[in-house]
Amino acid sequence: MDHSGEEIRLPRSRQANERLHALIPGGAHTYAKGDDQYPEDLAPVISHGRGAHVWDVDGNRYIEYGSGLRSVSLGHAHPRVTEAARRELDRGSNFVRPSLLEAEAAERFLATVPTAEMVKFAKNGSDVTTAAVRLARAATGRPRVALCGDHPFFSVDDWFIGTTPMSAGIPAAITELTVSFPYGDLAATEELLLRYENEIACLILEPAGHAEPPPGYLGALRELADRHGCVLIFDEMITGFRWSEAGAQGLYGVVPDLSTFGKALGNGFAVSALAGRRELMERGGLRHSGDRVFLLSTTHGAETHSLAAAMAVQTTYVEEGVTALLHVLGERLAAGVRAAADGMGVGEHVVVRGRASNLVFATLDENGRPSQEYRTLFLRRLLAGGVLAPSFVVSSALGEDDIDRTVDVVAQACAVYRKALDGADPTPWMGGRAVKPVFRRLV
């Protein structure tokens, strides 16, 4: 029994988590979905989802945020997307030669993201970010990768994971070839380029994060990359479609050499894309005179139902104004959460950040420092109220009533948060160990 008087039990989810851990390292296929990211014994195992709601194996229904790690932006089982995929299932999913659907999907993507000239599809974000890095190294003949150190994730591959606390198994010689620059700091970035003059193949970053780019920053970074002869890569996994249908590059009017898309592109179906300038992309093709670049060669990259799903997603976004709707919903949610937190006297401790279409929240302790303990308390109360929210990233399937219900639950959570702050101790309301950071060296 927790201190709010509500008992929270998930017996079937707890049993299912044990089954998952016995068979799957980490108990999930993405570390960010691990049960260590949730309060102890309160990690629901999902049965199914529809729209903005999911049901766990215990029969509880939740309003869900951050669906599919931001990939399901139209809501679960969106009829237009599932019907497009279903049509292809009866026609075969994978052949010994390309299908015409691959050309149609490429045409649709390049019409949606007109700043790119060629595109190649794959299944995961890491497939395409690593391909972009490989292509940049091949085109420049340079060994080093410069990534934005303020952005949390770029790839499961060695060139990035070696820079994280979970670097076991990755040779230092590989990690040493990756350097970092701070977002928004042009002087520091130029200093890095000068320190490793003629060694840096590319600058890779998310074009925007929780804060808007400083005025003129992306354009100046474009000029900096040109001046130092390196490739500019925008990782649009999150910004793609959530910022605009044409990505952040379309919204801000700065064209990278290469860009990578995923997540919202398939609304949960496995599809990602590497896009960019023809001169660079063609080096991974057959119509050039230089050394061949092994750009991307994936057995399932052209799976027909995933490409059909991606085409339906793009059509839906454009025809239904989905990006604008995401912003409207996010603005309503952010305003409600901030009002609820202020009303309970914790407005400086439960903090909503980010673009309206991509909201996250911070949980700060009595000294204003980020706290996993207070996050645990907060998540516990959200779950008790039927809100599954590792973030406040919205989907277009949310209704205003969903958001209003969420705000009510947040207010209840903030009331408990206030009690914990008054006692300078969140422990009595945590229900067990604290949730943990995804990237950490020890279990």
Side-chain angles (χ1 to χ4, degrees), residues 310-348:
M311 293 169 68
V313 167
Q314 290 163 85
T315 300
T316 302
Y317 261 79
V318 172
E319 291 186 1
E320 298 183 11
V322 171
T323 303
L325 177 58
L326 293 175
H327 284 84
V328 169
L329 293 168
E331 285 162 3
R332 184 184 181 98
L333 177 62
V337 170
R338 287 170 183 143
D342 288 341
M344 293 296 171
V346 297
E348 295 182 356

mmCIF file of all heavy atoms in Angstrom, residues 310-348:
data_model
loop_
_atom_site.group_PDB
_atom_site.id
_atom_site.type_symbol
_atom_site.label_atom_id
_atom_site.label_comp_id
_atom_site.label_asym_id
_atom_site.label_seq_id
_atom_site.Cartn_x
_atom_site.Cartn_y
_atom_site.Cartn_z
ATOM 1 N N ALA A 310 4.805 3.411 -44.528
ATOM 2 C CA ALA A 310 5.469 4.717 -44.547
ATOM 3 C C ALA A 310 4.783 5.671 -45.523
ATOM 4 O O ALA A 310 4.606 6.860 -45.231
ATOM 5 C CB ALA A 310 6.945 4.555 -44.914
ATOM 6 N N MET A 311 4.396 5.159 -46.686
ATOM 7 C CA MET A 311 3.699 6.006 -47.651
ATOM 8 C C MET A 311 2.366 6.490 -47.086
ATOM 9 O O MET A 311 1.990 7.657 -47.259
ATOM 10 C CB MET A 311 3.481 5.235 -48.954
ATOM 11 C CG MET A 311 4.774 4.914 -49.691
ATOM 12 S SD MET A 311 4.544 3.734 -51.044
ATOM 13 C CE MET A 311 3.584 4.724 -52.187
ATOM 14 N N ALA A 312 1.660 5.605 -46.393
ATOM 15 C CA ALA A 312 0.377 5.999 -45.795
ATOM 16 C C ALA A 312 0.583 7.033 -44.693
ATOM 17 O O ALA A 312 -0.221 7.963 -44.548
ATOM 18 C CB ALA A 312 -0.332 4.762 -45.238
ATOM 19 N N VAL A 313 1.647 6.888 -43.923
ATOM 20 C CA VAL A 313 1.957 7.867 -42.879
ATOM 21 C C VAL A 313 2.174 9.240 -43.496
ATOM 22 O O VAL A 313 1.617 10.247 -43.041
ATOM 23 C CB VAL A 313 3.204 7.432 -42.073
ATOM 24 C CG1 VAL A 313 3.716 8.586 -41.221
ATOM 25 C CG2 VAL A 313 2.884 6.239 -41.192
ATOM 26 N N GLN A 314 2.980 9.292 -44.551
ATOM 27 C CA GLN A 314 3.284 10.579 -45.181
ATOM 28 C C GLN A 314 2.016 11.215 -45.761
ATOM 29 O O GLN A 314 1.792 12.420 -45.616
ATOM 30 C CB GLN A 314 4.346 10.385 -46.255
ATOM 31 C CG GLN A 314 5.713 10.045 -45.664
ATOM 32 C CD GLN A 314 6.664 9.461 -46.690
ATOM 33 O OE1 GLN A 314 7.331 10.198 -47.406
ATOM 34 N NE2 GLN A 314 6.731 8.144 -46.766
ATOM 35 N N THR A 315 1.188 10.406 -46.400
ATOM 36 C CA THR A 315 -0.064 10.921 -46.948
ATOM 37 C C THR A 315 -0.961 11.469 -45.835
ATOM 38 O O THR A 315 -1.546 12.554 -45.960
ATOM 39 C CB THR A 315 -0.806 9.812 -47.714
ATOM 40 O OG1 THR A 315 0.026 9.348 -48.780
ATOM 41 C CG2 THR A 315 -2.112 10.330 -48.288
ATOM 42 N N THR A 316 -1.060 10.731 -44.750
ATOM 43 C CA THR A 316 -1.894 11.152 -43.622
ATOM 44 C C THR A 316 -1.400 12.459 -43.027
ATOM 45 O O THR A 316 -2.192 13.370 -42.741
ATOM 46 C CB THR A 316 -1.931 10.052 -42.549
ATOM 47 O OG1 THR A 316 -2.422 8.831 -43.125
ATOM 48 C CG2 THR A 316 -2.812 10.450 -41.381
ATOM 49 N N TYR A 317 -0.094 12.560 -42.824
ATOM 50 C CA TYR A 317 0.478 13.786 -42.268
ATOM 51 C C TYR A 317 0.126 14.996 -43.126
ATOM 52 O O TYR A 317 -0.287 16.038 -42.613
ATOM 53 C CB TYR A 317 2.001 13.656 -42.159
ATOM 54 C CG TYR A 317 2.481 13.297 -40.783
ATOM 55 C CD1 TYR A 317 2.421 11.995 -40.326
ATOM 56 C CD2 TYR A 317 3.001 14.272 -39.931
ATOM 57 C CE1 TYR A 317 2.867 11.657 -39.056
ATOM 58 C CE2 TYR A 317 3.441 13.952 -38.668
ATOM 59 C CZ TYR A 317 3.371 12.642 -38.232
ATOM 60 O OH TYR A 317 3.807 12.326 -36.965
ATOM 61 N N VAL A 318 0.314 14.858 -44.428
ATOM 62 C CA VAL A 318 0.105 15.998 -45.323
ATOM 63 C C VAL A 318 -1.378 16.337 -45.434
ATOM 64 O O VAL A 318 -1.786 17.500 -45.313
ATOM 65 C CB VAL A 318 0.712 15.703 -46.705
ATOM 66 C CG1 VAL A 318 0.335 16.802 -47.695
ATOM 67 C CG2 VAL A 318 2.239 15.585 -46.600
ATOM 68 N N GLU A 319 -2.208 15.314 -45.648
ATOM 69 C CA GLU A 319 -3.627 15.569 -45.908
ATOM 70 C C GLU A 319 -4.393 15.980 -44.651
ATOM 71 O O GLU A 319 -5.359 16.744 -44.730
ATOM 72 C CB GLU A 319 -4.274 14.326 -46.524
ATOM 73 C CG GLU A 319 -3.786 14.043 -47.940
ATOM 74 C CD GLU A 319 -4.532 12.889 -48.592
ATOM 75 O OE1 GLU A 319 -5.440 12.318 -47.940
ATOM 76 O OE2 GLU A 319 -4.204 12.558 -49.748
ATOM 77 N N GLU A 320 -3.955 15.496 -43.486
ATOM 78 C CA GLU A 320 -4.700 15.763 -42.261
ATOM 79 C C GLU A 320 -4.021 16.790 -41.350
ATOM 80 O O GLU A 320 -4.515 17.046 -40.252
ATOM 81 C CB GLU A 320 -4.947 14.456 -41.509
ATOM 82 C CG GLU A 320 -5.785 13.459 -42.305
ATOM 83 C CD GLU A 320 -6.096 12.183 -41.542
ATOM 84 O OE1 GLU A 320 -5.843 12.152 -40.310
ATOM 85 O OE2 GLU A 320 -6.580 11.226 -42.166
ATOM 86 N N GLY A 321 -2.915 17.372 -41.806
ATOM 87 C CA GLY A 321 -2.240 18.382 -41.001
ATOM 88 C C GLY A 321 -1.808 17.869 -39.641
ATOM 89 O O GLY A 321 -1.987 18.532 -38.608
ATOM 90 N N VAL A 322 -1.209 16.676 -39.620
ATOM 91 C CA VAL A 322 -0.906 16.009 -38.358
ATOM 92 C C VAL A 322 0.111 16.782 -37.531
ATOM 93 O O VAL A 322 -0.036 16.907 -36.304
ATOM 94 C CB VAL A 322 -0.431 14.559 -38.613
ATOM 95 C CG1 VAL A 322 0.109 13.930 -37.329
ATOM 96 C CG2 VAL A 322 -1.569 13.722 -39.179
ATOM 97 N N THR A 323 1.147 17.312 -38.168
ATOM 98 C CA THR A 323 2.161 18.032 -37.396
ATOM 99 C C THR A 323 1.543 19.194 -36.625
ATOM 100 O O THR A 323 1.854 19.404 -35.439
ATOM 101 C CB THR A 323 3.283 18.548 -38.314
ATOM 102 O OG1 THR A 323 3.854 17.439 -39.028
ATOM 103 C CG2 THR A 323 4.376 19.212 -37.506
ATOM 104 N N ALA A 324 0.673 19.931 -37.270
ATOM 105 C CA ALA A 324 0.010 21.049 -36.591
ATOM 106 C C ALA A 324 -0.836 20.547 -35.428
ATOM 107 O O ALA A 324 -0.857 21.167 -34.350
ATOM 108 C CB ALA A 324 -0.846 21.830 -37.574
ATOM 109 N N LEU A 325 -1.516 19.415 -35.611
ATOM 110 C CA LEU A 325 -2.340 18.852 -34.543
ATOM 111 C C LEU A 325 -1.479 18.423 -33.361
ATOM 112 O O LEU A 325 -1.856 18.636 -32.193
ATOM 113 C CB LEU A 325 -3.146 17.668 -35.071
ATOM 114 C CG LEU A 325 -4.009 16.914 -34.048
ATOM 115 C CD1 LEU A 325 -5.001 17.852 -33.372
ATOM 116 C CD2 LEU A 325 -4.727 15.749 -34.719
ATOM 117 N N LEU A 326 -0.338 17.812 -33.634
ATOM 118 C CA LEU A 326 0.568 17.423 -32.553
ATOM 119 C C LEU A 326 0.966 18.634 -31.709
ATOM 120 O O LEU A 326 1.035 18.546 -30.475
ATOM 121 C CB LEU A 326 1.819 16.747 -33.117
ATOM 122 C CG LEU A 326 1.626 15.386 -33.792
ATOM 123 C CD1 LEU A 326 2.946 14.917 -34.413
ATOM 124 C CD2 LEU A 326 1.101 14.344 -32.806
ATOM 125 N N HIS A 327 1.213 19.760 -32.375
ATOM 126 C CA HIS A 327 1.592 20.968 -31.648
ATOM 127 C C HIS A 327 0.425 21.503 -30.807
ATOM 128 O O HIS A 327 0.624 21.924 -29.661
ATOM 129 C CB HIS A 327 2.112 22.032 -32.614
ATOM 130 C CG HIS A 327 3.504 21.767 -33.098
ATOM 131 N ND1 HIS A 327 3.768 20.935 -34.161
ATOM 132 C CD2 HIS A 327 4.701 22.189 -32.648
ATOM 133 C CE1 HIS A 327 5.077 20.877 -34.346
ATOM 134 N NE2 HIS A 327 5.667 21.623 -33.446
ATOM 135 N N VAL A 328 -0.774 21.458 -31.350
ATOM 136 C CA VAL A 328 -1.944 21.931 -30.598
ATOM 137 C C VAL A 328 -2.163 21.067 -29.354
ATOM 138 O O VAL A 328 -2.386 21.581 -28.245
ATOM 139 C CB VAL A 328 -3.199 21.917 -31.497
ATOM 140 C CG1 VAL A 328 -4.461 22.136 -30.667
ATOM 141 C CG2 VAL A 328 -3.087 22.989 -32.581
ATOM 142 N N LEU A 329 -2.113 19.753 -29.531
ATOM 143 C CA LEU A 329 -2.300 18.846 -28.404
ATOM 144 C C LEU A 329 -1.201 19.021 -27.358
ATOM 145 O O LEU A 329 -1.475 19.044 -26.147
ATOM 146 C CB LEU A 329 -2.325 17.391 -28.898
ATOM 147 C CG LEU A 329 -3.524 16.992 -29.762
ATOM 148 C CD1 LEU A 329 -3.288 15.644 -30.416
ATOM 149 C CD2 LEU A 329 -4.801 16.964 -28.927
ATOM 150 N N GLY A 330 0.037 19.147 -27.828
ATOM 151 C CA GLY A 330 1.153 19.322 -26.906
ATOM 152 C C GLY A 330 1.064 20.620 -26.120
ATOM 153 O O GLY A 330 1.388 20.667 -24.927
ATOM 154 N N GLU A 331 0.618 21.669 -26.789
ATOM 155 C CA GLU A 331 0.480 22.955 -26.096
ATOM 156 C C GLU A 331 -0.591 22.875 -25.008
ATOM 157 O O GLU A 331 -0.420 23.425 -23.910
ATOM 158 C CB GLU A 331 0.159 24.058 -27.104
ATOM 159 C CG GLU A 331 1.374 24.463 -27.940
ATOM 160 C CD GLU A 331 1.016 25.222 -29.203
ATOM 161 O OE1 GLU A 331 -0.190 25.490 -29.406
ATOM 162 O OE2 GLU A 331 1.932 25.532 -29.985
ATOM 163 N N ARG A 332 -1.697 22.181 -25.298
ATOM 164 C CA ARG A 332 -2.754 22.013 -24.296
ATOM 165 C C ARG A 332 -2.214 21.223 -23.096
ATOM 166 O O ARG A 332 -2.472 21.573 -21.926
ATOM 167 C CB ARG A 332 -3.951 21.302 -24.918
ATOM 168 C CG ARG A 332 -5.150 21.157 -23.969
ATOM 169 C CD ARG A 332 -6.262 20.348 -24.634
ATOM 170 N NE ARG A 332 -7.431 20.207 -23.780
ATOM 171 C CZ ARG A 332 -8.520 20.958 -23.857
ATOM 172 N NH1 ARG A 332 -8.600 21.922 -24.774
ATOM 173 N NH2 ARG A 332 -9.541 20.748 -23.037
ATOM 174 N N LEU A 333 -1.480 20.153 -23.389
ATOM 175 C CA LEU A 333 -0.932 19.328 -22.320
ATOM 176 C C LEU A 333 0.084 20.104 -21.478
ATOM 177 O O LEU A 333 0.036 20.075 -20.243
ATOM 178 C CB LEU A 333 -0.284 18.076 -22.911
ATOM 179 C CG LEU A 333 0.409 17.138 -21.918
ATOM 180 C CD1 LEU A 333 -0.602 16.578 -20.909
ATOM 181 C CD2 LEU A 333 1.120 16.007 -22.649
ATOM 182 N N ALA A 334 1.008 20.786 -22.140
ATOM 183 C CA ALA A 334 2.046 21.523 -21.409
ATOM 184 C C ALA A 334 1.429 22.588 -20.513
ATOM 185 O O ALA A 334 1.826 22.742 -19.340
ATOM 186 C CB ALA A 334 3.023 22.162 -22.393
ATOM 187 N N ALA A 335 0.457 23.312 -21.034
ATOM 188 C CA ALA A 335 -0.192 24.355 -20.235
ATOM 189 C C ALA A 335 -0.896 23.742 -19.029
ATOM 190 O O ALA A 335 -0.822 24.277 -17.907
ATOM 191 C CB ALA A 335 -1.185 25.135 -21.098
ATOM 192 N N GLY A 336 -1.567 22.604 -19.238
ATOM 193 C CA GLY A 336 -2.270 21.955 -18.145
ATOM 194 C C GLY A 336 -1.343 21.426 -17.074
ATOM 195 O O GLY A 336 -1.605 21.579 -15.873
ATOM 196 N N VAL A 337 -0.258 20.791 -17.497
ATOM 197 C CA VAL A 337 0.707 20.251 -16.531
ATOM 198 C C VAL A 337 1.351 21.376 -15.732
ATOM 199 O O VAL A 337 1.501 21.284 -14.507
ATOM 200 C CB VAL A 337 1.768 19.394 -17.251
ATOM 201 C CG1 VAL A 337 2.910 19.036 -16.300
ATOM 202 C CG2 VAL A 337 1.140 18.130 -17.821
ATOM 203 N N ARG A 338 1.719 22.443 -16.412
ATOM 204 C CA ARG A 338 2.348 23.562 -15.704
ATOM 205 C C ARG A 338 1.382 24.191 -14.703
ATOM 206 O O ARG A 338 1.766 24.515 -13.567
ATOM 207 C CB ARG A 338 2.847 24.603 -16.706
ATOM 208 C CG ARG A 338 4.085 24.157 -17.460
ATOM 209 C CD ARG A 338 4.445 25.063 -18.615
ATOM 210 N NE ARG A 338 5.613 24.547 -19.340
ATOM 211 C CZ ARG A 338 5.781 24.617 -20.647
ATOM 212 N NH1 ARG A 338 4.847 25.179 -21.420
ATOM 213 N NH2 ARG A 338 6.865 24.123 -21.214
ATOM 214 N N ALA A 339 0.125 24.318 -15.085
ATOM 215 C CA ALA A 339 -0.866 24.884 -14.169
ATOM 216 C C ALA A 339 -1.077 23.955 -12.976
ATOM 217 O O ALA A 339 -1.194 24.420 -11.827
ATOM 218 C CB ALA A 339 -2.183 25.120 -14.911
ATOM 219 N N ALA A 340 -1.133 22.653 -13.234
ATOM 220 C CA ALA A 340 -1.322 21.693 -12.142
ATOM 221 C C ALA A 340 -0.135 21.718 -11.189
ATOM 222 O O ALA A 340 -0.313 21.701 -9.960
ATOM 223 C CB ALA A 340 -1.513 20.291 -12.716
ATOM 224 N N ALA A 341 1.064 21.758 -11.739
ATOM 225 C CA ALA A 341 2.260 21.791 -10.891
ATOM 226 C C ALA A 341 2.319 23.075 -10.073
ATOM 227 O O ALA A 341 2.604 23.064 -8.866
ATOM 228 C CB ALA A 341 3.514 21.635 -11.756
ATOM 229 N N ASP A 342 2.015 24.191 -10.721
ATOM 230 C CA ASP A 342 1.992 25.471 -10.000
ATOM 231 C C ASP A 342 0.943 25.442 -8.897
ATOM 232 O O ASP A 342 1.178 25.922 -7.775
ATOM 233 C CB ASP A 342 1.705 26.621 -10.966
ATOM 234 C CG ASP A 342 2.891 26.937 -11.882
ATOM 235 O OD1 ASP A 342 4.027 26.539 -11.535
ATOM 236 O OD2 ASP A 342 2.665 27.566 -12.934
ATOM 237 N N GLY A 343 -0.226 24.892 -9.208
ATOM 238 C CA GLY A 343 -1.309 24.865 -8.240
ATOM 239 C C GLY A 343 -0.992 24.051 -7.003
ATOM 240 O O GLY A 343 -1.514 24.332 -5.918
ATOM 241 N N MET A 344 -0.125 23.057 -7.158
ATOM 242 C CA MET A 344 0.273 22.228 -6.020
ATOM 243 C C MET A 344 1.594 22.687 -5.398
ATOM 244 O O MET A 344 2.136 22.024 -4.515
ATOM 245 C CB MET A 344 0.396 20.751 -6.459
ATOM 246 C CG MET A 344 -0.928 20.131 -6.848
ATOM 247 S SD MET A 344 -2.078 20.058 -5.445
ATOM 248 C CE MET A 344 -3.578 19.538 -6.298
ATOM 249 N N GLY A 345 2.121 23.809 -5.900
ATOM 250 C CA GLY A 345 3.338 24.353 -5.313
ATOM 251 C C GLY A 345 4.612 23.643 -5.709
ATOM 252 O O GLY A 345 5.623 23.718 -4.997
ATOM 253 N N VAL A 346 4.587 22.943 -6.864
ATOM 254 C CA VAL A 346 5.796 22.243 -7.314
ATOM 255 C C VAL A 346 6.186 22.667 -8.730
ATOM 256 O O VAL A 346 6.864 21.921 -9.450
ATOM 257 C CB VAL A 346 5.629 20.702 -7.237
ATOM 258 C CG1 VAL A 346 5.427 20.262 -5.798
ATOM 259 C CG2 VAL A 346 4.466 20.226 -8.118
ATOM 260 N N GLY A 347 5.775 23.857 -9.125
ATOM 261 C CA GLY A 347 6.051 24.326 -10.481
ATOM 262 C C GLY A 347 7.518 24.443 -10.812
ATOM 263 O O GLY A 347 7.902 24.397 -11.984
ATOM 264 N N GLU A 348 8.370 24.574 -9.786
ATOM 265 C CA GLU A 348 9.806 24.647 -10.027
ATOM 266 C C GLU A 348 10.467 23.278 -9.931
ATOM 267 O O GLU A 348 11.694 23.171 -10.051
ATOM 268 C CB GLU A 348 10.450 25.608 -9.026
ATOM 269 C CG GLU A 348 9.982 27.057 -9.205
ATOM 270 C CD GLU A 348 10.663 28.007 -8.233
ATOM 271 O OE1 GLU A 348 11.440 27.533 -7.378
ATOM 272 O OE2 GLU A 348 10.410 29.221 -8.336
#
